[in-house]
Amino acid sequence: MEQVLVIEDDARTATFVIGALQQAGYAATHCRDGEEGLAALLHGGCDIAVVDVMLPKRDGLSVIREARTAGRKMPILILSARGSVDAKVQGLEVGADDYLAKPFSVVELIARIQALLRRTRDQEQTLELRHEDLVMDLATHRVTRGGEIVDLQPLEYKLLEYLLRNRGRIVSRNMILERVWGYSFDPRTNVVESRISRLREKINRPDGHQLIKTVRGFGYALD
């Protein structure tokens, strides 16, 4: 039985989430503040964590950041009343894998947990992704190009991983938003374009050979 760690200070929300998880066939552990939640994450033993942002003693973003710094790789879903685009981007940048704003549908919560766990199982079956001299080690989250380490933020890593898993295919802007960010943005946002630009700066070579191609009118591809 897969174990879900719920870090949530609101007793009513925690009871609701834990009940839904148990009905869906998961085991659940509850932590009521950030310090307790961080200790549980660092101890390990959970397959996925659901983390609130506004927590007593230590906020959820710092909990996630420290857990990732310590090398904890379990998927993390943020559950928060802060639903702005900036709040969601901030959560993903510190290392969360998905973000669900309150109020939420329990059906959607369970579906997102299932998707994250399924993605994790799929990743564990593949230890390395390659394209030309670009190598991503899925076990250590180490990315190199031509043997040189490429320093990526968590969101940049997820974006590059999605492109590598779809190398040779064109992925649209909406596909990237759905698969990497996990939700829909205002269609006028340029978040994908800006992240692609930053990723290119980090993985491209001075000789001008670009790995990420823009296919005008369609999207992007690792050619």
Side-chain angles (χ1 to χ4, degrees):
M1 183 181 294
E2 288 167 309
Q3 180 75 39
V4 184
L5 174 64
V6 179
I7 308 176
E8 169 64 65
D9 65 314
D10 183 77
R12 185 174 180 180
T13 301
T15 300
F16 176 66
V17 169
I18 290 170
L21 289 168
Q22 290 173 341
Q23 287 186 359
Y26 297 101
T29 302
H30 179 213
C31 293
R32 295 170 176 79
D33 62 61
E35 288 186 358
E36 183 184 357
L38 177 58
L41 280 174
L42 295 179
H43 181 268
C46 69
D47 297 295
I48 185 171
V50 177
V51 183
D52 188 15
V53 172
M54 303 302 291
L55 294 167
K57 299 185 180 180
R58 180 188 284 265
D59 70 273
L61 296 182
S62 70
V63 168
I64 296 168
R65 186 185 296 109
E66 190 158 338
R68 293 306 193 208
T69 300
R72 296 299 180 266
K73 296 181 174 62
M74 75 285 288
I76 297 176
L77 184 151
I78 288 179
L79 194 61
S80 174
R82 298 171 58 194
S84 68
V85 169
D86 287 344
K88 293 175 180 179
V89 170
Q90 188 178 17
L92 294 169
E93 285 186 330
V94 300
D97 298 280
D98 201 355
Y99 197 113
L100 185 58
K102 300 175 182 177
F104 59 91
S105 160
V106 67
V107 174
E108 183 177 6
L109 172 64
I110 298 300
R112 289 187 182 225
I113 288 173
Q114 290 172 339
L116 287 172
L117 289 170
R118 183 169 57 249
R119 187 188 310 166
T120 301
R121 287 192 293 268
D122 291 343
Q123 290 173 357
E124 288 173 350
Q125 294 174 6
T126 304
L127 297 179
E128 192 175 85
L129 297 174
R130 286 178 172 267
H131 181 71
E132 296 187 8
D133 60 348
L134 180 68
V135 182
M136 173 178 284
D137 187 321
L138 297 173
T140 63
H141 284 199
R142 185 171 179 264
V143 177
T144 60
R145 182 164 190 202
E148 297 182 2
I149 294 177
V150 181
D151 185 21
L152 298 179
Q153 295 181 354
L155 198 57
E156 294 166 348
Y157 180 93
K158 290 175 65 177
L159 176 55
L160 180 58
E161 181 184 353
Y162 181 65
L163 292 172
L164 281 167
R165 289 186 181 277
N166 290 276
R167 55 192 178 279
R169 305 173 187 167
I170 299 172
V171 291
S172 70
R173 183 172 169 275
N174 287 341
M175 289 169 66
I176 293 173
L177 282 173
E178 179 183 349
R179 298 294 184 177
V180 178
W181 275 263
Y183 48 86
S184 297
F185 272 87
D186 185 316
R188 295 168 294 182
T189 186
N190 67 344
V191 65
V192 172
E193 291 80 359
S194 65
R195 293 293 173 176
I196 288 285
S197 177
R198 288 174 61 180
L199 187 58
R200 279 176 169 153
E201 291 176 0
K202 293 188 176 184
I203 68 172
N204 283 343
R205 285 180 167 172
D207 62 12
H209 178 48
Q210 295 192 0
L211 294 184
I212 303 174
K213 309 292 185 181
T214 298
V215 185
R216 295 193 180 279
F218 294 95
Y220 304 93
L222 280 177
D223 191 7

